[in-house]
Amino acid sequence: MLRKGRSPDRPADAGSQPHRDRSGALIERLAGWSIRHRAIAIIGWLALVALAVLSSGLLPGEDARGQDPGETGVAEQVIRDQPGYEPARENVLVQAHAGGGRFVDDPELRRTTEDLVATLRRLPGAVADLRSPLAPDGRQHISRDGTSGLVTFFIAGPNEEMTEHYRLASAAVREVAQRHPDVRVVQAGDQSLAAAVDQSIKEDFSRSEFISLPITVLILLFVFGSLIAASIPLLLAGTTVAAAFGLLGAVGKWLPINSATSSMILLIGVAVGVDYSLFYLRREREERAAGRSVGDALRISARTSGRVVVVSGLTVMLCVGGLLLTGLTNFRALTIGTALVVGFALLGSVTVLPAVLSLLGSWVEKARVPWLGKWRTTARESQIWMAVARAVVRRPLVFGGAATLLLGLMAMPALDMHLQDAGPTNSLPRTVSAVDGAIRMQEAFPGAPTPAKVVLWGEVDDPAIPAAVDRLHDRIAGSGGLLAEPMTVVRNGAAVVIRVPLAGSGTDETSNRALELLRDQVVPETFGQLGGIEHAVSGRTAFAYDFTNQVRAGTPLVFGFVLLLAFVLLLAAFRTSTVAIVSILLNMLSVGAAYGALTWVFQDGNLAGALGFTPYGGVVGWLPLFMFALLFGLSMDYHIFILSRIRERWSGGASARAAIVGGIGSSASVVTSAAVIMTAVFAVFVVLTAVEYKMLGVGMSVAILIDATIVRGVLLPAALALLGERAWGIRKPAGEPRVAVSR
């Protein structure tokens, strides 16, 4: 029950608050122009979207190629600069289905190998440097336990024919496997693993589109109860994503854009586009329910919810911009893509959205869904969350302390988080034939599916190089198993590429130790003494190693940038350092709990069966940093929206605690709806194939749920209740009424 004065659940007049800021007034004027010139605003928006979509096709030239980090990038650039091509190496494992005897003594294994070699040799110039365990020098192509054989070859060039040559070779391997059903014949190598990853990403991208849209539609129908009202957020999100993808295609001429980046930008665009529409539509409904005209309701919505959208959108773009400090090409593309899609969503929400709502007027409530329409068309406070808020503000220490303890316990597993990229054999399930083959090949011939590549350039015609290669063979034999055979040497233009298998799974600690041995000792001691020769080591293990190290080096800069930026933006939005500091601390608790859940599920292997992945003892190296920047931006949507509602009531005459209850109650339905949509959108990643996507889906979904419930529903009101009027940093004029919560 409330006592004394007017209800804290809405201010007396949203248009007469004592703390109207210039940014809100500017957004109100912009929305007012759109309302008065709605035809121009709508046509202009559609023209802008069309121009953005067409922009990628108007620019000539090929798409940009990425630059890998560290020594890997140096080696790959040398290979890329060669006039010829780098031959792709493929491997075929030949072994009995159920452990058999020695390879050399098994007639069926020998016949299968002879058939495979003969079939590949009959191909018209498709393969080169074909090697067999049955050759006189083939001992290195027989596993240590003697039960498996390895046939290796390079896909022959030139570049324009490599795809066809790979298709022919792969078809030949499948034909041999069908002719010998009692023998396991599986292929894995440079091209086959890359093709498996690319195909998986494309399928995941299509699946995410197929699943996320129907889920979003159903939730919007439930939230609004009207087909027309539910379609507005979808139209804004759809045009926003289309425009962002169009410009992203143009940006791709200068920055490499991969499929994974496109998939994440799609879901981020849908999430923020729907969120921003929800903020507007809820406030507009609330003001019309209070008796205001459509135009007045929209102008007030622009000044209040529109301001929240602008601040939160800028926060997302700037926080994600912190990823640029890592210097990684993948993050650069993702940052620009996120900035584009959020920027378009922001622009559309303060221009075309008010124009469309003005055009529709009361028609926005038409086409109601049976059983939902009548209930959903009225803006109302959440009685459940108001009851929670009342309980929290009465005993803030008890509830706030319990919530803090809970999130602290959830965050504890993150103390043991181990950053480790998955690699193809850990990322994709064994149902992918190339992955299953690579895992079996790894067990029989460690490092063969994804070897390190030692790249030499400079005076590569030096006659001392063959002797150095022989010394490399000796060092491999004396490496204690960290380096392995078979080693291959191939000339590529003015460079030499030596493939050296590494022990371990490809990205684990054993593989990293093998890489460090190769880079720091073996290669310098073998080739470093040759004048005019430069060297670098690349490969899948080297890429993951260099990428993770660069992420770790950039993490302090990104964390510092995001935290400082969030403080400045919150200080500018609310003009109180107390609210800014509290908000940052609450966000840190939310992110920490999400990190803990991520570690507990994926690194420790809990819920592996339910989520359909195989744990490999780590968390993808880029994910925690990306999640930190993105969550700090996205969480500001809810945070700023709720704080603005609380501040609005406090400025309108409510007491500090009554303002908290009213602000939580009036914003709860929007925050809950937006959180459900955003959680559902990111949860789509959980059903995708790659373990990296599953990690992103679980991490983001858990963080958003915690943020919208425990943090915004319990910790935020508890912190503000403890601070009282000191939270806002200014005192009200004497004699203003107060509305308190009855005990």
Side-chain angles (χ1 to χ4, degrees), residues 60-253:
E62 297 181 354
D63 290 341
R65 300 182 65 178
Q67 176 70 41
D68 293 335
E71 190 172 326
T72 301
V74 174
E76 293 303 315
Q77 188 60 50
V78 169
I79 294 173
R80 192 179 299 169
D81 290 341
Q82 302 311 310
Y85 69 98
E86 180 192 8
R89 184 192 182 198
E90 289 295 311
N91 313 283
V92 182
L93 178 69
V94 181
Q95 64 179 194
H97 280 295
R102 291 172 56 81
F103 179 87
V104 295
D105 299 329
D106 190 317
E108 183 59 25
L109 293 181
R110 293 177 64 88
R111 280 195 296 270
T112 302
T113 304
E114 290 169 352
D115 186 9
L116 176 63
V117 171
T119 303
L120 289 171
R121 281 178 176 162
R122 285 196 296 269
L123 297 178
V127 302
D129 195 22
L130 178 61
R131 299 190 181 189
S132 164
L134 300 180
D137 60 347
R139 181 67 189 87
Q140 295 177 347
H141 290 256
I142 298 176
S143 62
R144 290 183 181 179
D145 63 5
T147 62
S148 305
L150 190 69
V151 175
T152 66
F153 57 90
F154 286 99
I155 304 298
N159 284 348
E160 60 272 13
E161 297 181 18
M162 286 186 67
T163 301
E164 176 63 16
H165 288 169
Y166 168 73
R167 188 190 65 79
L168 292 173
S170 298
V173 172
R174 289 193 296 271
E175 291 172 4
V176 172
Q178 292 172 357
R179 288 197 293 265
H180 302 272
D182 296 331
V183 176
R184 179 178 289 113
V185 180
V186 291
Q187 179 180 348
D190 294 347
Q191 191 75 10
S192 52
L193 285 174
V197 172
D198 289 344
Q199 183 62 29
S200 173
I201 289 175
K202 290 177 182 178
E203 292 175 355
D204 280 350
F205 183 69
S206 300
R207 193 180 301 121
S208 66
E209 291 178 304
F210 179 77
I211 296 174
S212 62
L213 185 59
I215 291 176
T216 304
V217 170
L218 289 175
I219 296 172
L220 285 172
L221 286 175
F222 183 79
V223 169
F224 290 109
S226 161
L227 291 172
I228 295 177
S231 66
I232 293 174
L234 290 176
L235 289 174
L236 178 62
T239 53
T240 290
V241 170
F245 273 2
L247 283 184
L248 202 59
V251 172
K253 305 297 181 182

Side-chain angles (χ1 to χ4, degrees), residues 403-693:
T404 302
L405 179 61
L406 174 62
L407 294 186
L409 290 174
M410 290 183 65
M412 285 188 67
L415 297 175
D416 296 323
M417 181 186 287
H418 173 61
L419 299 183
Q420 177 185 328
D421 278 4
T425 56
N426 302 123
S427 174
L428 302 178
R430 293 191 70 162
T431 52
V432 179
S433 60
V435 173
D436 181 69
I439 292 174
R440 297 181 184 279
M441 199 175 295
Q442 184 75 21
E443 294 169 351
F445 297 90
T450 56
K453 294 190 292 186
V454 179
V455 180
L456 309 177
W457 69 96
E459 302 295 332
V460 293
D461 294 320
D462 190 332
I465 287 183
V469 172
D470 291 338
R471 290 196 299 273
L472 181 58
H473 275 289
D474 295 338
R475 291 300 305 271
I476 290 173
S479 67
L482 287 176
L483 309 178
E485 298 282 3
M487 184 186 83
T488 60
V489 183
V490 63
R491 181 72 177 264
N492 179 20
V496 173
V497 181
I498 306 172
R499 285 176 167 81
V500 180
L502 304 177
S505 68
T507 58
D508 62 1
E509 289 300 326
T510 301
S511 297
N512 288 340
R513 287 199 305 272
L515 176 67
E516 290 169 352
L517 174 66
L518 187 65
R519 278 182 169 178
D520 300 338
Q521 297 182 36
V522 174
V523 171
E525 293 172 4
T526 305
F527 299 102
Q529 307 302 319
L530 302 180
I533 294 292
E534 295 184 76
H535 55 77
V537 179
S538 65
R540 292 185 185 274
T541 300
F543 171 78
Y545 181 89
D546 291 338
F547 190 93
T548 301
N549 283 346
Q550 189 157 336
V551 167
R552 285 173 175 161
T555 294
L557 288 175
V558 176
F559 272 58
F561 174 84
V562 171
L563 292 175
L564 180 61
L565 180 66
F567 177 80
V568 171
L569 289 172
L570 286 165
L571 185 62
F574 296 102
R575 293 176 174 82
T576 163
S577 60
T578 305
V579 167
I581 293 171
V582 167
S583 301
I584 289 172
L585 292 176
L586 296 185
N587 273 352
M588 293 291 287
L589 276 173
S590 176
V591 172
Y595 283 175
L598 198 64
T599 306
W600 184 79
V601 172
F602 291 97
Q603 183 172 304
D604 299 340
N606 297 289
L607 305 180
L611 297 179
F613 70 93
T614 301
Y616 63 92
V619 172
V620 176
W622 57 267
L623 185 58
L625 190 62
F626 172 72
M627 278 180 55
F628 178 81
L630 185 60
L631 282 171
F632 246 84
L634 291 178
S635 65
M636 289 300 170
D637 283 357
Y638 316 137
H639 197 71
I640 295 174
F641 185 72
I642 296 171
L643 283 173
S644 296
R645 285 299 183 97
I646 296 172
R647 171 73 174 263
E648 188 177 310
R649 278 152 178 74
W650 181 82
S651 299
S655 70
R657 292 192 174 188
I660 294 170
V661 175
I664 294 290
S666 63
S667 60
S669 62
V670 178
V671 170
T672 301
S673 302
V676 169
I677 290 172
M678 196 172 287
T679 300
V681 166
F682 281 109
V684 170
F685 280 109
V686 177
V687 303
L688 303 186
T689 305
V691 71
E692 296 94 332
Y693 287 165

Side-chain angles (χ1 to χ4, degrees), residues 307-333:
R307 178 176 176 273
V308 172
V309 166
V310 170
V311 173
S312 62
L314 291 175
T315 303
V316 173
M317 290 188 285
L318 293 173
C319 284
V320 175
L323 296 174
L324 295 174
L325 298 176
T326 63
L328 292 166
T329 304
N330 291 347
F331 278 163
R332 194 177 307 156

